[in-house]
Structure formats: structure tokens, C-alpha cells
């Protein structure tokens, strides 16, 4: 699911192809070597025997060796071949075992980047207070930091919007918050607990995520909404759909809530998929909401239609919204302008419009008309 959430399917498939091609080439090389090696050894054996028989005959002729002696020597010689051959094979086995052992050790050495502490704290329902405290982060193997000295906090009922040019680190903040990665310095706190001290379940169960590219799976509408919480009742599912403005279009589908929506929700429009995702998040009823600008890619009408459900979803929760087109940031309690992994400005919409060149520029690009009259 993570692979899908981050759109890495193609990358993973290519990687498997690449690795299998490499493995096939190595096997082929090994088979070729074996093919070459076996006749070579047999040839050498035959040559040795011929040499001994030749030399023995010579010695026999000169009277220095009896025929019985020669026969005994040849018999013993043939008995020596087999253990020598076995020793050769043993060498092969040792070499390949060595290579395998290296792989095993490499594998054992690879610690998953995220590990729970020995006695993780479990919290049932968080209040939703999040704080980033001087967080630094670098992707494994990357030269540049993706996040530098990041400090901010947010409480229940507040909305924090993250804006900034592409590659500024907005999605990375979400990944660090969900603990897909740990910071290299600094802390992320949930209700005052360092999230590294919490069980992963406590952390992730308290967050509902609505992504740009909504995950709708091949099942019924009911399954798709109920996915937010397995134990949801029919009544709760319908209530969530109503709150997400999804009830009407669901009833208009051929089988209502039992309609199978097809792979990736093919039967639904982008806006409908998003409303389904909002219903799913409603059912999940987590105190923290992570929204990756759910209006991206929708036309103005569809985007407008999901703003109402979104607002209802955000009420009473701590919301972090990653904003790409700045549609939903005007009402945010606090907006952070990110550039190169750093916060370069913070404030409300009005404050930033007056005080941050980057924000004003980003905003103007997306809202020409409104900016002119602002
Ligand atoms: P966008 O608006 O385009 O989604 P963003 O602000 O969300 O951009 P991030 O995806 O957080 O930006 O990326 C921040 C930086 O980290 C970029 O320089 C990016 O190249 C780098 N980055 C992102 N993901 C990885 C990764 N898995 N491995 C290495 N570097 C990464």
C-alpha cells in the first residue's frame, strides 16, 4: 500500500526486472564456466594416467619396476583422483557459500530505518498536539538535507498549511510526521511524546491521510468508505458519506453502496473519488489530518464542491495541509513558506501576502484575479 501511496509501482517493477536480468546473466556465466571446467579436469586426469603408464612402461623396460608394481601404482592413482576432484568441488562450494554468507550478513546488517523502542508508549486517542522541534532530515544517501532546522507546532482545531516551490520539502514533512523516516537531529512530538517513543500503531492510527492521488481500490463503495475503520456500521458509513457530500452520487450509482467501483475507482470522477476519500477519513475519525492538497488536478467546480466536505472534516482536528495551488490556505491558522527545506516565512494569509515575496509570487501565479484585488 505504501508503494502505491507514493506512486513507486513502476520503479519497483523496473528494479525487479533489473535484478532478475543481473541474476540471469550471473547464472549463465557460472554455467559456462562449469561447462568449461569439467572437460578440462577430465582431460588433465586422462593426461596424468597416460603419463604414468608411459613412464611406468619405460621403467618396466629398464627393469626398475615390476609389472605388479606398475599395476598397483595405477590402481592407487585412480583412487587418489576421486578425493582430489572432491576437494576441487569443495573449493567451489566454499566460494559460493562465502558469497551467500556475505549476502546473509549484509541482509542481517540492514536494520529497518524505523524501529519501535523496546517498550513503546501506546496512546489510544491523541489530543492532536504536534510539534516539530529543530528537525533536520536527510534522505538516506542524499548529499543535501531535505529539512533543516524546522520548528513549528499545531494544536487541535488549528490548520497548518505548508506552501513552497516543488522540492521544498512539503511531502517530506508528512513522511517524517508519519515516521516513514526519523530525523537526523531534533524531535517530532505528539501530545508531548517524542514519536520515536510511541508505538507505530499509536502514531499512525491517530492520523488520517487524504492524498492527491486518492486510493480507491477495486471493491464496493461501502468497502472503500469502511476501509477507514473496519468495525464501522452501516449507519456510520452512510453518515460519513453524507458529511462528505458523497451520499447522493453513491445512490445514483447502479447498485448504490454495493456498486463495485473498479480498479483505482475507474467508474468515478476525480472529485467523486476525493469525496469518497473524505468519507473514509471521516469514518477513521482521527484527531490529526494530513491532506496533500486534495483539490489538485480537479477543475474549479469539482474543487469548490469538495471544500465544504473538507471543512467539515477539518473541524475539531489538527490539520496539516500540503498546498500546491494555494486554494485552501487562506483560512489556515498558520502558513509556513518552505524553500530548500527551510521555513523562510510564516504567518497568516494576509500577513504573508504583505510580508513574503515568495508567498506573494506563488499566490499571484495561482490566483491572478484575486491577487489583483487583494
Ligand atoms: P512537490 O511540491 O513537488 O511535491 P515537495 O515540497 O513536497 O515537492 P519533497 O518531496 O518533500 O518536496 O522533496 C524535498 C527534497 O527531497 C527534494 O529535493 C527531493 O528531491 C528530495 N527527495 C524526496 N524524496 C526523496 C527520496 N525518497 N530520496 C531522496 N531524496 C528525496
Amino acid at each position: 500500500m505504501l508503494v502505491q501511496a507514493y506512486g513507486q509501482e513502476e520503479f519497483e517493477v523496473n528494479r525487479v526486472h533489473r535484478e532478475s536480468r543481473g541474476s540471469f546473466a550471473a547464472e549463465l556465466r557460472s554455467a559456462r564456466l562449469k561447462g568449461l571446467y569439467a572437460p578440462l579436469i577430465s582431460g588433465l586426469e586422462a593426461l596424468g594416467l597416460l603419463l604414468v603408464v608411459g613412464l611406468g612402461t619405460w621403467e618396466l623396460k629398464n627393469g626398475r619396476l615390476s609389472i605388479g608394481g606398475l599395476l598397483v601404482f595405477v590402481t592407487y592413482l585412480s583412487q587418489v583422483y576421486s578425493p582430489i576432484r572432491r576437494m576441487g568441488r569443495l573449493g567451489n562450494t566454499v566460494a559460493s557459500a562465502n558469497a551467500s554468507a556475505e549476502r546473509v550478513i549484509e541482509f542481517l546488517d540492514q536494520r529497518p530505518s524505523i524501529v519501535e523502542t523496546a517498550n513503546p508508549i501506546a496512546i489510544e486517542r491523541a489530543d492532536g498536539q504536534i510539534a516539530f522541534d529543530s528537525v533536520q532530515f536527510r534522505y538516506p544517501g542524499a548529499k543535501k538535507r531535505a529539512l533543516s532546522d524546522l520548528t513549528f507546532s499545531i494544536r487541535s482545531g488549528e490548520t497548518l498549511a505548508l506552501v513552497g516551490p516543488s522540492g521544498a520539502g512539503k511531502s517530506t514533512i508528512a513522511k517524517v510526521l508519519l515516521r516513514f523516516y526519523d530525523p537526523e537531529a531534533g524531535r517530532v512530538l505528539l501530545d508531548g511524546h517524542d514519536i520515536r517513543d510511541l508505538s507505530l500503531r499509536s502514531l499512525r492510527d491517530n492520523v488520517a491521510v487524504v492524498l492527491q492521488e486518492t486510493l480507491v481500490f477495486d471493491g464496493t463503495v461501502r468497502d472503500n468508505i469502511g476501509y477507514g475503520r473496519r468495525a464501522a456500521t452501516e449507519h456510520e458509513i452512510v453518515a460519513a458519506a453524507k458529511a462528505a457530500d458523497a451520499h447522493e452520487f453513491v445512490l445514483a450509482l447502479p447498485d448504490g453502496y454495493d456498486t463495485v467501483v473498479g480498479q483505482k475507482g475507474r467508474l468515478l470522477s476525480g472529485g467523486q473519488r476525493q469525496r469518497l476519500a473524505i468519507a473514509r477519513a471521516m469514518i477513521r475519525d482521527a484527531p490529526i489530518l494530513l491532506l496533500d492538497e486534495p483539490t489538485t488536478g480537479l477543475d474549479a467546480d469539482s474543487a469548490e464542491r469538495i471544500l465544504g466536505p473538507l471543512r467539515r472534516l477539518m473541524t475539531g482536528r489538527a490539520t496539516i495541509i500540503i498546498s500546491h495551488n494555494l486554494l485552501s490556505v487562506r483560512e489556515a491558522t498558520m502558513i509556513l513558506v518552505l524553500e530548500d527545506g527551510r521555513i523562510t516565512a510564516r504567518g497568516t494569509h494576509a500577513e504573508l501576502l504583505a510580508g513574503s515575496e515568495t508567498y506573494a509570487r506563488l499566490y499571484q501565479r495561482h490566483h491572478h484575479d484575486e491577487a489583483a484585488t487583494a
Side-chain angles (χ1 to χ4, degrees):
M1 166 148 168
L2 258 186
V3 169
Q4 276 191 326
Y6 287 91
Q8 301 285 357
E9 299 98 314
E10 206 176 313
F11 168 75
E12 293 291 338
V13 168
N14 285 340
R15 194 164 62 89
V16 170
H17 277 173
R18 224 171 29 241
E19 303 266 324
S20 358
R21 262 204 301 275
S23 151
F24 178 68
E27 296 243 355
L28 206 65
R29 265 203 309 278
S30 149
R32 270 204 200 114
L33 274 177
K34 267 191 201 146
L36 211 71
Y37 188 65
L40 194 76
I41 296 291
S42 304
L44 279 177
E45 272 178 26
L47 204 70
L49 194 69
L50 273 178
L51 214 71
V52 167
V53 170
L55 261 171
T57 318
W58 173 259
E59 295 288 284
L60 202 69
K61 213 169 95 195
N62 291 338
R64 280 197 290 262
L65 189 70
S66 70
I67 181 109
L70 179 63
L71 279 178
V72 167
F73 192 79
V74 170
T75 312
Y76 278 136
L77 188 69
S78 64
Q79 280 183 9
V80 164
Y81 273 145
S82 160
I84 289 182
R85 219 181 293 153
R86 272 211 296 273
M87 252 169 73
R89 250 182 266 143
L90 187 71
N92 266 351
T93 315
V94 168
S96 73
N98 210 355
S100 309
E102 263 173 36
R103 292 279 305 125
V104 172
I105 290 167
E106 227 173 75
F107 184 72
L108 289 178
D109 270 355
Q110 256 185 12
R111 302 245 164 270
S113 54
I114 299 304
V115 273
E116 276 189 352
T117 53
N119 292 306
I121 302 169
I123 43 176
E124 278 303 313
R125 191 181 170 81
D127 289 338
Q129 281 190 40
I130 301 164
F132 272 57
D133 176 15
S134 309
V135 169
Q136 318 255 24
F137 173 72
R138 192 192 307 265
Y139 280 100
K143 284 204 191 87
K144 225 174 63 166
R145 276 206 195 107
L147 301 178
S148 299
D149 201 22
L150 218 63
T151 300
F152 62 82
S153 62
I154 167 175
R155 277 186 315 207
S156 185
E158 292 183 345
T159 303
L160 179 85
L162 305 173
V163 307
S166 179
K170 304 181 291 291
S171 312
T172 306
I173 293 180
K175 290 186 217 170
V176 170
L177 173 65
L178 285 167
R179 226 185 145 210
F180 293 141
Y181 297 98
D182 279 334
E184 80 185 3
R187 300 178 306 162
V188 179
L189 306 169
L190 171 60
D191 288 359
H193 300 289
D194 189 322
I195 59 171
R196 281 171 292 204
D197 297 332
L198 296 177
S199 70
L200 282 176
R201 179 169 260 276
S202 295
L203 171 68
R204 294 182 187 161
D205 277 1
N206 273 300
V207 185
V209 182
V210 180
L211 299 170
Q212 247 178 75
E213 179 63 32
T214 307
L215 292 170
V216 176
F217 54 84
D218 191 8
T220 63
V221 170
R222 179 181 293 103
D223 292 343
N224 266 289
I225 299 178
Y227 190 74
R229 184 154 49 86
R230 288 289 172 198
T233 63
E234 179 71 19
H235 178 74
E236 287 171 323
I237 287 178
V238 173
K242 280 186 178 158
D245 274 357
H247 184 64
E248 274 171 31
F249 86 75
V250 172
L251 286 187
L253 291 171
D255 296 316
Y257 283 85
D258 291 315
T259 311
V260 175
V261 290
Q263 290 263 315
K264 293 192 174 172
R266 258 199 322 266
L267 291 184
L268 306 173
S269 73
Q272 290 173 336
R273 279 200 293 269
Q274 284 301 25
R275 278 180 274 160
L276 219 56
I278 292 171
R280 184 189 293 159
M282 294 244 184
I283 281 271
R284 193 167 169 80
D285 192 26
I288 299 157
L289 256 187
L290 196 57
L291 308 177
D292 191 357
E293 188 83 288
T295 54
T296 309
L298 300 182
D299 59 58
D301 274 353
S302 313
E304 201 60 46
R305 279 210 67 179
I306 73 160
L307 283 182
L310 264 184
R311 269 189 214 112
R312 284 197 282 280
L313 177 64
M314 287 154 70
T315 308
R317 303 176 210 273
T319 306
I320 296 186
I321 180 158
I322 298 174
S323 183
H324 301 273
N325 62 16
L326 279 71
L327 187 67
S328 32
V329 299
R330 275 178 297 185
E331 297 158 32
T333 325
M334 166 78 82
I335 302 168
L336 301 183
V337 181
L338 286 161
E339 284 169 272
D340 262 339
R342 290 175 187 283
I343 299 172
T344 51
R346 65 175 82 204
T348 61
H349 173 68
E351 286 164 1
L352 286 175
L353 215 48
S356 163
E357 241 175 71
T358 312
Y359 184 82
R361 206 174 49 238
L362 280 172
Y363 190 75
Q364 263 161 28
R365 199 179 307 152
H366 294 292
H367 297 263
H368 251 308
D369 309 337
E370 287 152 289
T373 54

